[in-house]
Amino acid sequence: QLQLVESGGGLVQPGGSLRLSCEVSGVRLTYYSIGWFRQAPGKEREGVSCIGSSGGNTRYADSVKGRFTISRDNDKNMVWLQMNSLKPEDTGIYYCAAVDRDVIWRCEPEGMEYWGKGTLVTVSS
């Protein structure tokens, strides 16, 4: 059974960087598209970035374009989210999720099948 485990969250000052990792087990990552999602206190879960099964077809929320980069290594069954120039509004629990498709055309929580438990990112001075 597919399992996802996020890591790399923490407390960082505004303008700082973090790299989130998502380790996938139980399946070959090659067949799955992956997304990063976040949920801030009192808000709905939203899509941050998604990547197709072969590493192409990347999607980014407007709020993170130019600051975040998603990447993956199918041989290592790993997906990463590099977050730079972090802002307080980036605070939230970050989840990685998977779906058995080649491409994610709309990076939205409703389209995902499997979820990790999340890692907390806090951006504060």
Side-chain angles (χ1 to χ4, degrees):
Q1 183 175 355
L2 190 154
Q3 292 186 327
L4 307 101
V5 178
E6 305 93 337
S7 62
L11 173 64
V12 62
Q13 293 186 340
S17 297
L18 282 175
R19 188 191 195 205
L20 303 184
S21 299
C22 176
E23 182 177 4
V24 182
S25 62
V27 297
R28 286 195 64 185
L29 187 59
T30 307
Y31 302 113
Y32 291 81
S33 292
I34 302 292
W36 284 98
F37 301 82
R38 69 186 178 191
Q39 188 163 17
K43 295 188 176 180
E44 294 185 354
R45 194 171 298 186
E46 64 176 353
V48 175
S49 182
C50 291
I51 187 168
S53 61
S54 63
N57 298 104
T58 55
R59 300 282 187 269
Y60 294 94
D62 289 342
S63 60
V64 306
K65 282 181 181 176
R67 300 188 297 123
F68 291 11
T69 303
I70 191 170
S71 61
R72 64 189 289 162
D73 186 329
N74 287 345
D75 291 334
K76 295 181 179 179
N77 264 30
M78 293 290 297
V79 181
W80 297 276
L81 184 69
Q82 178 66 43
M83 306 188 296
N84 299 328
S85 302
L86 283 161
K87 304 175 182 180
E89 51 264 43
D90 294 318
T91 294
I93 300 175
Y94 282 70
Y95 301 88
C96 67
V99 61
D100 185 8
R101 292 167 58 179
D102 292 334
V103 176
I104 297 175
W105 294 111
R106 300 184 68 176
C107 191
E108 298 175 342
E110 293 76 17
M112 309 307 289
E113 296 175 324
Y114 306 94
W115 290 86
K117 294 183 179 181
T119 185
L120 177 63
V121 172
T122 303
V123 184
S124 175
S125 55

